[in-house]
Amino acid sequence: MRIAVCGGVYSNPWALRAFVDDARRNQADRLYCLGDLGGYGAEPDAVWPLLTGNDVICVAGNYDVAIASGAQDCGCGYRDPRDQEYAGMMYDFTLRTTDRRFAAWMGTLRTERREKLDGCDVHFVHGSTTGLNDFWWESLPEAEHRRRVEASGADVIMCTHSGLPWIRRIGDSLVVNVGVIGRPANDGDRRVRYALVDLDDGVARARIIRLHYDWRSHAEALRRAKFPEAFARTVTTGWWTTCLEVPPTRERARGRFHLYDSSVPRLLEPFGLGEDAWPDPDPSIPVRSLWGSPLLPDHIWYTRPPIGVDDLTEAAAGCAISHVRPSDGHSPAMRYIGEARRPLPELTLTDQGWSWHPRLASEPPFLAHPAEIPPLAASVDAARSGAVEVLLEELQAQNLLLPPNYCAG
């Protein structure tokens, strides 16, 4: 038996229609949706007939429960005021424009389902097994993964809510975060994601499907509805421009943007710098990248590199890094934030891996070269994401950024 499972439709009928068509092309026997039918899109009512007309089996997400009850907010689990601002903007629109008959239908949906399918006990939830709006991130500590699995005990657990897909076997359970079809997965790919799961005599196998859809129409609808450009920009680029504060540092670091513009003054203050030290690269969106900032300059140092400098320069240019410099005699001073455990990063390539700073090149690298070194551009990108991740952790430890909301359940 094969099932197709999506989550987070987010008022995106173009993606939902593509999901139905693709699932049928892939010979899925049943189609499921794990909730959050509204939000982030401008066409909430258009998704209802697509669900009912194609026998998509639905569970309710936090958004659906909120719309059905006319609640004051979406119950998404955001804590940061800027995340709440953008979520509130979209929720108010969705509540105002959703047909109350559709809202009443949402109110009839269960918040979880459990079915025996071809010998497998399958548990369908929205956030996780512990809470409707719990964010089940891939990078959670193992104890947190086990806690959620033990709360269910199912052979297969299907979830969504976080917006980022992943598949892992945890104990005896196969856990599949199906991602969402309402917006991209913050990796620069405009395609959205859903899961195909094959169930055969008690054995389950799953894969994440990247789904093409009419993203241009989706973006145009957002602009016609007069939403801030940030919403359409995510659709057209594949990078999140809102709801940045909620993911853990690992997931957050993989995106192009890492913090809101409003965080900049507080981050620069410990160095006696004004906002002019970090000009806003794009005033049409409310976010920016740590990479290329005064806290993480967009250049690479090298000492004893494992490859030729010309190859390193070419790989760096492929990652939009224009400055590649030898560290001998040119090492910058080490700068610290408060009682930080380490200085601000100055990414440095050595024969052992990526060092945090040229003056720390003789110490073990923060990112060692694997036994088989990957393509250099991938190595540069991994080092950059790793540096952003550790820097985000340090900024949170110094109370300069709000720590992420690992779970709401």
Side-chain angles (χ1 to χ4, degrees):
M1 181 179 193
R2 172 171 290 175
I3 61 174
V5 189
C6 74
V9 177
Y10 297 161
S11 301
N12 185 341
W14 300 276
L16 180 57
R17 188 176 297 111
F19 162 70
V20 170
D21 292 343
D22 199 64
R24 287 176 174 160
R25 275 194 299 271
N26 281 300
Q27 299 181 316
D29 299 294
R30 293 186 191 177
L31 279 61
Y32 293 83
C33 176
L34 302 182
D36 278 3
L37 307 178
Y40 211 88
E43 300 289 339
D45 284 344
V47 307
W48 190 21
L50 292 172
L51 294 168
T52 57
N54 290 285
D55 298 321
V56 180
I57 303 166
C58 296
V59 300
N62 55 277
Y63 224 95
D64 315 314
V65 171
I67 293 294
S69 65
Q72 291 187 342
D73 62 56
C74 65
C76 297
Y78 299 135
R79 296 185 304 171
D80 184 89
R82 291 150 298 188
D83 284 349
Q84 292 172 348
E85 176 187 355
Y86 285 99
M89 192 181 304
M90 187 56 77
Y91 178 74
D92 291 345
F93 172 87
T94 306
L95 182 62
R96 186 174 65 252
T97 58
T98 298
D99 188 303
R100 293 317 297 172
R101 292 170 297 176
F102 183 22
W105 181 83
M106 292 182 202
T108 68
L109 300 176
R110 289 182 276 168
T111 55
E112 59 183 311
R113 295 180 68 94
R114 197 149 184 166
E115 300 183 18
K116 197 77 170 182
L117 301 174
D118 215 327
C120 293
D121 177 13
V122 185
H123 195 178
F124 299 92
V125 299
H126 177 70
S128 85
T129 58
T130 64
L132 183 64
N133 64 352
D134 181 31
F135 294 96
W136 199 341
W137 305 106
E138 185 177 13
S139 68
L140 286 179
E142 286 304 309
E144 290 294 330
H145 282 299
R146 288 195 302 272
R147 181 170 71 87
R148 289 161 174 78
V149 166
E150 290 167 1
S152 168
D155 300 320
V156 182
I157 304 171
M158 313 290 299
C159 64
T160 181
H161 188 56
S162 71
L164 301 178
W166 53 269
I167 301 171
R168 281 189 59 181
R169 187 161 289 280
I170 301 170
D172 294 328
S173 297
L174 179 66
V175 181
V176 184
N177 189 317
V178 304
V180 298
I181 61 171
R183 69 169 181 168
N186 198 27
D187 60 358
D189 186 344
R190 288 186 290 260
R191 290 175 295 179
V192 293
R193 312 293 198 276
Y194 77 94
L196 279 177
V197 184
D198 290 307
L199 308 160
D200 183 10
D201 196 20
V203 177
R205 294 180 300 275
R207 55 194 169 109
I208 299 296
I209 304 298
R210 292 175 181 257
L211 179 67
H212 290 282
Y213 77 103
D214 185 1
W215 57 267
R216 292 180 179 85
S217 293
H218 184 32
E220 179 56 31
L222 285 163
R223 289 171 173 142
R224 283 199 309 270
K226 306 300 183 184
F227 282 109
E229 176 61 20
F231 289 101
R233 189 71 63 87
T234 291
V235 172
T236 61
T237 65
W239 297 110
W240 290 4
T241 54
T242 61
C243 305
L244 290 184
E245 299 285 345
V246 71
T249 54
R250 183 162 304 165
E251 284 84 354
R252 188 170 172 180
R254 292 171 183 160
R256 173 174 290 178
F257 305 111
H258 309 116
L259 47 86
Y260 286 104
D261 294 337
S262 54
S263 299
V264 169
R266 189 175 184 185
L267 297 182
L268 295 178
E269 185 178 359
F271 303 99
L273 299 174
E275 292 184 56
D276 57 345
W278 190 353
D280 188 350
D282 189 348
S284 68
I285 55 176
V287 291
R288 62 183 74 183
S289 174
L290 273 171
W291 183 258
S293 75
L295 306 186
L296 182 54
D298 59 347
H299 53 239
I300 291 175
W301 301 90
Y302 63 86
T303 179
R304 309 181 310 277
I307 48 104
V309 173
D310 288 344
D311 290 336
L312 174 60
T313 301
E314 181 179 353
C319 295
I321 300 171
S322 56
H323 302 291
V324 177
R325 306 171 182 174
S327 62
D328 298 340
H330 300 283
S331 298
M334 294 197 288
R335 301 175 298 151
Y336 291 84
I337 302 176
E339 301 297 323
R341 298 164 292 175
R342 62 178 77 199
L344 289 175
E346 293 276 354
L347 209 54
T348 306
L349 179 65
T350 75
D351 56 352
Q352 299 299 308
W354 290 93
S355 289
W356 190 250
H357 193 281
R359 299 194 182 195
L360 301 175
S362 60
E363 299 182 5
F366 82 93
L367 184 63
H369 292 312
E372 183 176 340
I373 297 179
L376 193 55
S379 179
V380 171
D381 191 59
R384 177 166 56 182
S385 295
V388 170
E389 179 183 348
V390 176
L391 181 56
L392 284 168
E393 290 173 352
E394 194 60 61
L395 294 171
Q396 290 167 359
Q398 297 293 321
N399 293 317
L400 296 172
L401 290 177
L402 187 69
N405 189 8
Y406 285 96
C407 57

